[in-house]
Short mmCIF file of all heavy atoms in Angstrom, two decimals:
data_model
loop_
_atom_site.label_atom_id
_atom_site.label_comp_id
_atom_site.label_asym_id
_atom_site.label_seq_id
_atom_site.Cartn_x
_atom_site.Cartn_y
_atom_site.Cartn_z
N ASP G 1 93.06 116.57 110.37
CA ASP G 1 94.27 115.87 110.65
C ASP G 1 94.96 115.17 109.57
O ASP G 1 95.75 114.06 109.92
CB ASP G 1 93.93 114.88 111.89
CG ASP G 1 93.46 115.69 113.01
OD1 ASP G 1 93.83 116.70 113.43
OD2 ASP G 1 92.60 115.04 113.83
N ILE G 2 94.68 115.45 108.35
CA ILE G 2 95.10 114.71 107.21
C ILE G 2 96.59 114.47 107.27
O ILE G 2 97.06 113.47 106.71
CB ILE G 2 94.63 115.23 105.92
CG1 ILE G 2 94.59 114.16 104.71
CG2 ILE G 2 95.33 116.53 105.50
CD1 ILE G 2 93.70 113.04 105.00
N LYS G 3 97.38 115.50 107.59
CA LYS G 3 98.82 115.17 107.62
C LYS G 3 99.38 114.19 108.59
O LYS G 3 100.19 113.34 108.19
CB LYS G 3 99.59 116.56 107.97
CG LYS G 3 99.39 117.60 106.82
CD LYS G 3 100.17 118.93 107.28
CE LYS G 3 100.08 119.93 106.10
NZ LYS G 3 100.69 121.24 106.42
N LYS G 4 98.65 114.18 109.75
CA LYS G 4 98.96 113.12 110.66
C LYS G 4 98.54 111.83 110.26
O LYS G 4 99.23 110.67 110.42
CB LYS G 4 98.30 113.44 112.08
CG LYS G 4 98.88 114.79 112.72
CD LYS G 4 98.12 115.13 114.03
CE LYS G 4 98.60 116.40 114.60
NZ LYS G 4 97.90 116.64 115.85
N ILE G 5 97.37 111.78 109.69
CA ILE G 5 96.80 110.47 109.04
C ILE G 5 97.71 109.83 107.93
O ILE G 5 97.96 108.68 107.98
CB ILE G 5 95.43 110.68 108.60
CG1 ILE G 5 94.35 110.97 109.75
CG2 ILE G 5 94.87 109.49 107.80
CD1 ILE G 5 93.07 111.41 109.30
N LYS G 6 98.19 110.77 107.10
CA LYS G 6 99.15 110.32 106.02
C LYS G 6 100.27 109.62 106.65
O LYS G 6 100.77 108.60 106.25
CB LYS G 6 99.49 111.48 105.17
CG LYS G 6 98.44 111.89 104.18
CD LYS G 6 98.71 113.34 103.57
CE LYS G 6 99.98 113.33 102.91
NZ LYS G 6 100.26 114.67 102.29
N LYS G 7 100.80 110.22 107.69
CA LYS G 7 102.06 109.63 108.39
C LYS G 7 101.69 108.34 109.10
O LYS G 7 102.46 107.42 109.03
CB LYS G 7 102.67 110.66 109.31
CG LYS G 7 103.94 110.28 109.95
CD LYS G 7 104.48 111.33 110.76
CE LYS G 7 105.92 110.92 111.44
NZ LYS G 7 106.49 112.00 112.14
N GLU G 8 100.55 108.34 109.72
CA GLU G 8 100.15 107.19 110.45
C GLU G 8 99.84 105.98 109.53
O GLU G 8 100.33 104.83 109.87
CB GLU G 8 98.84 107.53 111.26
CG GLU G 8 98.14 106.36 111.98
CD GLU G 8 98.87 105.96 113.27
OE1 GLU G 8 99.49 106.95 113.89
OE2 GLU G 8 98.88 104.91 113.67
N LEU G 9 99.19 106.10 108.45
CA LEU G 9 98.80 105.07 107.59
C LEU G 9 99.93 104.65 106.70
O LEU G 9 100.12 103.39 106.44
CB LEU G 9 97.62 105.40 106.65
CG LEU G 9 96.32 105.80 107.43
CD1 LEU G 9 95.26 106.08 106.37
CD2 LEU G 9 95.92 104.61 108.37
N ASN G 10 100.69 105.59 106.32
CA ASN G 10 101.91 105.27 105.40
C ASN G 10 101.49 104.40 104.20
O ASN G 10 102.12 103.45 103.92
CB ASN G 10 103.11 104.51 106.18
CG ASN G 10 104.31 104.51 105.51
OD1 ASN G 10 104.60 105.36 104.61
ND2 ASN G 10 105.10 103.52 105.68
N LEU G 11 100.42 104.87 103.53
CA LEU G 11 99.92 104.18 102.42
C LEU G 11 100.17 104.94 101.10
O LEU G 11 100.43 106.22 101.17
CB LEU G 11 98.42 104.02 102.43
CG LEU G 11 97.88 103.15 103.58
CD1 LEU G 11 96.37 103.25 103.65
CD2 LEU G 11 98.29 101.69 103.29
N GLU G 12 100.27 104.31 100.04
CA GLU G 12 100.37 104.94 98.74
C GLU G 12 99.19 105.76 98.44
O GLU G 12 98.03 105.48 98.71
CB GLU G 12 100.60 103.96 97.55
CG GLU G 12 100.79 104.47 96.15
CD GLU G 12 100.91 103.48 95.05
OE1 GLU G 12 101.02 102.22 95.46
OE2 GLU G 12 100.82 103.86 93.91
N ILE G 13 99.48 106.93 97.96
CA ILE G 13 98.43 108.00 97.64
C ILE G 13 98.12 108.07 96.15
O ILE G 13 98.94 108.19 95.38
CB ILE G 13 98.85 109.45 98.20
CG1 ILE G 13 98.99 109.35 99.71
CG2 ILE G 13 97.79 110.52 97.70
CD1 ILE G 13 99.55 110.71 100.26
N LYS G 14 96.81 108.02 95.90
CA LYS G 14 96.41 108.00 94.51
C LYS G 14 96.09 109.47 94.15
O LYS G 14 96.39 109.84 93.04
CB LYS G 14 95.23 107.07 94.17
CG LYS G 14 94.83 107.09 92.78
CD LYS G 14 93.72 105.93 92.63
CE LYS G 14 93.12 105.94 91.12
NZ LYS G 14 94.24 105.60 90.21
N GLU G 15 95.32 110.08 94.93
CA GLU G 15 94.93 111.47 94.72
C GLU G 15 94.95 112.33 95.90
O GLU G 15 94.73 111.80 97.06
CB GLU G 15 93.51 111.56 94.04
CG GLU G 15 93.34 110.79 92.76
CD GLU G 15 91.78 110.73 92.39
OE1 GLU G 15 91.00 111.46 93.08
OE2 GLU G 15 91.47 110.06 91.45
N GLU G 16 95.31 113.66 95.84
CA GLU G 16 95.32 114.40 97.01
C GLU G 16 94.92 115.86 96.73
O GLU G 16 95.31 116.36 95.67
CB GLU G 16 96.79 114.48 97.56
CG GLU G 16 96.91 115.28 98.88
CD GLU G 16 98.30 115.03 99.49
OE1 GLU G 16 99.23 114.45 98.70
OE2 GLU G 16 98.51 115.62 100.60
N LYS G 17 93.97 116.47 97.51
CA LYS G 17 93.55 117.79 97.36
C LYS G 17 93.23 118.37 98.64
O LYS G 17 92.20 118.01 99.32
CB LYS G 17 92.32 117.82 96.41
CG LYS G 17 91.89 119.25 96.02
CD LYS G 17 90.75 119.16 95.05
CE LYS G 17 90.34 120.54 94.69
NZ LYS G 17 89.05 120.62 93.72
N GLU G 18 94.10 119.33 99.10
CA GLU G 18 94.02 119.94 100.41
C GLU G 18 93.85 119.01 101.55
O GLU G 18 94.69 118.23 101.82
CB GLU G 18 92.89 120.98 100.37
CG GLU G 18 92.99 122.12 99.29
CD GLU G 18 91.87 123.08 99.11
OE1 GLU G 18 90.80 122.78 99.74
OE2 GLU G 18 92.02 124.08 98.37
N GLU G 19 92.59 118.92 102.17
CA GLU G 19 92.44 118.10 103.34
C GLU G 19 91.76 116.72 103.01
O GLU G 19 91.40 116.01 103.82
CB GLU G 19 91.54 118.78 104.35
CG GLU G 19 92.24 119.96 104.91
CD GLU G 19 91.31 120.67 105.97
OE1 GLU G 19 90.09 120.42 106.01
OE2 GLU G 19 91.86 121.61 106.68
N LYS G 20 91.67 116.48 101.73
CA LYS G 20 91.11 115.22 101.24
C LYS G 20 92.15 114.41 100.40
O LYS G 20 92.79 114.92 99.58
CB LYS G 20 89.88 115.45 100.30
CG LYS G 20 89.15 114.29 99.81
CD LYS G 20 87.95 114.70 98.90
CE LYS G 20 87.29 113.57 98.27
NZ LYS G 20 86.11 113.95 97.41
N VAL G 21 92.31 113.13 100.84
CA VAL G 21 93.28 112.23 100.33
C VAL G 21 92.64 110.84 100.00
O VAL G 21 91.91 110.28 100.71
CB VAL G 21 94.47 111.95 101.25
CG1 VAL G 21 95.55 111.01 100.63
CG2 VAL G 21 95.23 113.28 101.56
N LYS G 22 93.02 110.36 98.73
CA LYS G 22 92.53 109.03 98.42
C LYS G 22 93.71 108.10 98.36
O LYS G 22 94.71 108.35 97.60
CB LYS G 22 91.99 109.09 96.88
CG LYS G 22 91.37 107.80 96.46
CD LYS G 22 90.62 107.99 95.07
CE LYS G 22 89.86 106.74 94.69
NZ LYS G 22 89.14 106.94 93.42
N PHE G 23 93.70 107.16 99.30
CA PHE G 23 94.80 106.26 99.45
C PHE G 23 94.53 104.80 98.74
O PHE G 23 93.37 104.54 98.51
CB PHE G 23 95.00 105.83 100.97
CG PHE G 23 95.29 107.01 101.80
CD1 PHE G 23 94.31 107.62 102.60
CD2 PHE G 23 96.51 107.42 102.01
CE1 PHE G 23 94.52 108.78 103.32
CE2 PHE G 23 96.88 108.55 102.93
CZ PHE G 23 95.91 109.19 103.53
N ILE G 24 95.65 104.24 98.44
CA ILE G 24 95.53 102.79 97.99
C ILE G 24 95.80 101.93 99.13
O ILE G 24 96.83 101.92 99.79
CB ILE G 24 96.46 102.49 96.90
CG1 ILE G 24 96.27 103.38 95.61
CG2 ILE G 24 96.52 101.00 96.44
CD1 ILE G 24 97.29 103.28 94.51
#
């Protein structure tokens, strides 16, 4: 659900690879 999570959290992204995201 990473796409939905990205929208939900609305945080700055440091790294992103497929279904894995590192947020600040």
Side-chain angles (χ1 to χ4, degrees):
D1 296 326
I2 198 65
K3 291 182 179 178
K4 295 178 182 178
I5 292 172
K6 285 164 59 177
K7 186 176 181 180
E8 175 78 30
L9 297 182
N10 192 29
L11 293 171
E12 182 180 347
I13 294 173
K14 183 173 177 62
E15 297 173 8
E16 184 172 7
K17 186 177 181 181
E18 297 177 352
E19 296 179 346
K20 182 179 179 181
V21 176
K22 187 173 186 177
F23 300 94
I24 298 175

